[in-house]
Amino acid sequence: MSSTLAAGKPTSQRRIAFATIIGTTIEWYDFFIYATSAGLVFAQLFFKPAGEDIGLLLSLATVGISFLFRPLGAVLAGHFGDLIGRRAMLVVTLLLMGGATTLVGTLPTYSQIGIAAPIVLLFLRILQGLSAGGEWGGAVLMAVEHAPAKRRGRAGSWPQLGVPLGFLLASGMTALMTGIVSPGDAYLQWGWRVPFLVSVVLIGVGFLIRRAVEESPVFTEIAQRGKQTKVPIVALFKRHWYLVILAALVFVGNGVPGYMTTGGFLNNYAINVQNMDTTSVLLAAVVAAAVWFFSTLIAGYLSDGIGRRNTFLIGFGLQAVVVFPIFWLVDTGTLFGLYAALVLISTGLGLTYGPLATWYAEIFPASIRFTGVSIAYAIGAVLGGAFAPTISQALLEATGTTAAVSGYLLAATLLGAGAALCLRDRPGIPLGPDHEAEQSNGATMFARNTAVSESAASR
């Protein structure tokens, strides 16, 4: 059966949408609960001997170090995802992420076991990085490869929604603990552990949901015809290395402001520099996540109408306009200023994130697609997200002003926009293995466009 015919069944589409959203939400809840805690308590619990400022930098650095292992996770998941299927990798990465997160909640602190505490903490964060590097590619291909060509943009936005939902859930859970269940010293003593331990329940839910999802029709075709590439990463870098670089740089433009916001820096700045109430800041982050969710969803629909690249360029334009005003607003020291800043940046983030999955899927050939989208995303996360909170904190301490941080965000945004201008929109290109030659050419503005619409290809 052709993959284009297998896609688009209403019941299947709803099941895929539910599974990808729930699965990625759980994955990113696990990822963000660590980043939130790193900005709030890990400096005191695991890095206290280093002093307040250095301890905070080390705590935020553990957020970034995990990103260095995303490419390895992407290589492993991409390799096996292109060989044995998308669904199997979704289950494996979910279990790895959830297991590491739960163990963080049981970890003794520095005062209890000394230097072993931060070492084990870093190891568990590395496991989270491996999982995050492999999970995204499988989730987005399950969504996009099941979808009809005319609705790929909105389908590709489904797994993207898991990121703001995970951030919302992580911020909401932390706000619940700091504001109601374990306020004050209780949160530092034991309350911070609860959001990590909750992950064990989420693992079970996500496992059952992902096990029930049908394999991607594109991979099913590839497997039936025995067209799997034996070493996908070699084929990828031999023939499409430039696509990996450009796609990664597009994500850098989203990742730097995204991870600087969600990676704990902005929360920490509002709490420790502007002396805002911790719970109030976390509730503002919940609102920001909701805005990010809706702008991501809108971007998916918008990209089906005006194209992936145009949607990205609108989002990058908005980001460029707001990178300085967001800190001016936070520097007012008011909750209104914080809310306004977060709403502005979250809107741009959604527009430069919603169409990412679909655009990635449409520029890489079917036989190496899992490897291609995973590695491009992972490299973009390393370059754009890994140390964004740490770099921002270092710039603030070195200059004493947020202007340097805003300049950093602007540079990343312009870099992403430049890379987006180099890639071509291919919204109607067939995704199945019968069209590998077409998929392998014309993805950049520097190459001849050989893509045709799916309807034309079927005639």
Side-chain angles (χ1 to χ4, degrees):
M1 179 185 294
S2 168
S3 62
T4 56
L5 295 175
K9 298 177 182 179
T11 302
S12 176
Q13 288 286 289
R14 286 194 293 269
R15 185 183 299 117
I16 294 297
F18 182 71
T20 53
I21 292 173
I22 295 298
T24 52
T25 297
I26 294 170
E27 282 267 351
W28 288 102
Y29 164 82
D30 288 347
F31 202 78
F32 284 134
I33 204 67
Y34 184 101
T36 302
S37 299
L40 294 178
V41 296
F42 282 176
Q44 302 172 65
L45 295 173
F46 295 96
F47 302 98
K48 191 172 183 178
E52 183 176 347
D53 291 339
I54 300 300
L56 180 58
L57 282 173
L58 290 173
S59 180
L60 293 175
T62 65
V63 176
I65 286 173
S66 71
F67 284 74
L68 300 180
F69 290 84
R70 279 197 183 190
L72 177 58
V75 169
L76 293 173
H79 177 82
F80 290 106
D82 281 327
L83 283 177
I84 65 175
R86 292 33 170 152
R87 186 177 66 171
M89 291 301 99
L90 287 178
V91 174
V92 170
T93 53
L94 178 72
L95 294 176
L96 181 61
M97 176 71 83
T101 303
T102 302
L103 288 174
V104 171
T106 68
L107 187 62
T109 64
Y110 185 92
S111 64
Q112 295 171 306
I113 61 172
I115 193 66
I119 292 174
V120 177
L121 179 71
L122 180 59
F123 173 73
L124 294 174
R125 183 59 175 175
I126 288 171
L127 294 183
Q128 284 191 322
L130 289 171
S131 173
E135 190 275 342
W136 187 82
V140 301
L141 293 187
M142 288 293 285
V144 175
E145 290 180 345
H146 272 95
K150 292 182 179 179
R151 294 200 293 271
R152 281 189 204 142
R154 69 191 73 176
S157 70
W158 297 336
Q160 306 298 77
L161 296 175
V163 179
L165 282 176
F167 183 48
L168 186 154
L169 189 59
S171 299
M173 177 64 76
T174 307
L176 177 67
M177 298 307 299
T178 62
I180 299 176
V181 179
S182 56
D185 291 340
Y187 178 71
L188 189 63
Q189 292 169 1
W190 60 268
W192 68 272
R193 297 182 182 275
V194 175
F196 289 92
L197 297 175
V198 166
S199 182
V200 73
V201 178
L202 300 179
I203 295 172
V205 174
F207 177 79
L208 293 175
I209 291 172
R210 287 195 163 175
R211 285 281 296 172
V213 176
E214 297 174 1
E215 180 58 86
S216 158
V218 171
F219 179 78
T220 300
E221 261 187 81
I222 293 172
Q224 288 173 347
R225 301 179 188 188
K227 291 187 176 181
Q228 296 100 317
T229 302
K230 291 184 178 180
V231 189
I233 189 171
V234 173
L236 175 70
F237 281 101
K238 182 178 180 180
R239 303 171 193 164
H240 307 287
W241 58 269
Y242 53 91
L243 284 182
V244 174
I245 294 173
L246 289 173
L249 292 179
V250 167
F251 185 43
V252 167
N254 170 275
V256 169
Y259 284 111
M260 189 278 305
T261 304
T262 61
F265 172 79
L266 198 58
N267 285 354
N268 180 70
Y269 178 79
I271 293 168
N272 294 327
V273 177
Q274 297 301 327
N275 298 313
M276 296 186 190
D277 175 66
T278 298
T279 302
S280 297
V281 170
L282 291 169
L283 290 174
V286 170
V287 173
V291 173
W292 189 9
F293 173 91
F294 285 109
S295 62
T296 298
L297 183 62
I298 290 169
Y301 280 82
L302 188 63
S303 74
D304 280 330
I306 67 172
R308 326 301 181 210
R309 186 173 64 170
N310 287 338
T311 306
F312 262 91
L313 293 176
I314 292 171
F316 282 137
L318 178 58
Q319 285 181 198
V321 168
V322 306
V323 290
F324 282 92
I326 59 173
F327 282 105
W328 299 339
L329 288 165
V330 176
D331 284 340
T332 64
T334 65
L335 284 177
F336 175 81
L338 177 63
Y339 273 85
L342 289 172
V343 167
L344 286 174
I345 194 63
S346 297
T347 302
L349 289 175
L351 292 173
T352 56
Y353 197 61
L356 186 70
T358 305
W359 204 6
Y360 272 20
E362 290 171 339
I363 65 175
F364 289 104
S367 62
I368 57 170
R369 186 171 293 138
F370 198 134
T371 301
V373 301
S374 297
I375 291 180
Y377 188 82
I379 293 175
V382 171
L383 297 177
F387 298 104
T390 308
I391 292 171
S392 298
Q393 183 67 30
L395 287 172
L396 179 63
E397 292 180 6
T399 65
T401 173
T402 57
V405 180
S406 294
Y408 170 48
L409 302 186
L410 179 60
T413 297
L414 295 178
L415 181 63
L421 287 170
C422 295
L423 290 172
R424 182 175 272 124
D425 256 333
R426 308 207 293 179
I429 191 169
L431 297 181
D434 289 338
H435 303 276
E436 282 263 343
E438 181 182 346
Q439 295 160 6
S440 298
N441 295 285
T444 73
M445 298 300 292
F446 313 112
R448 185 170 63 89
N449 186 13
T450 60
V452 297
S453 70
E454 186 159 348
S455 59
S458 65
R459 287 199 292 266

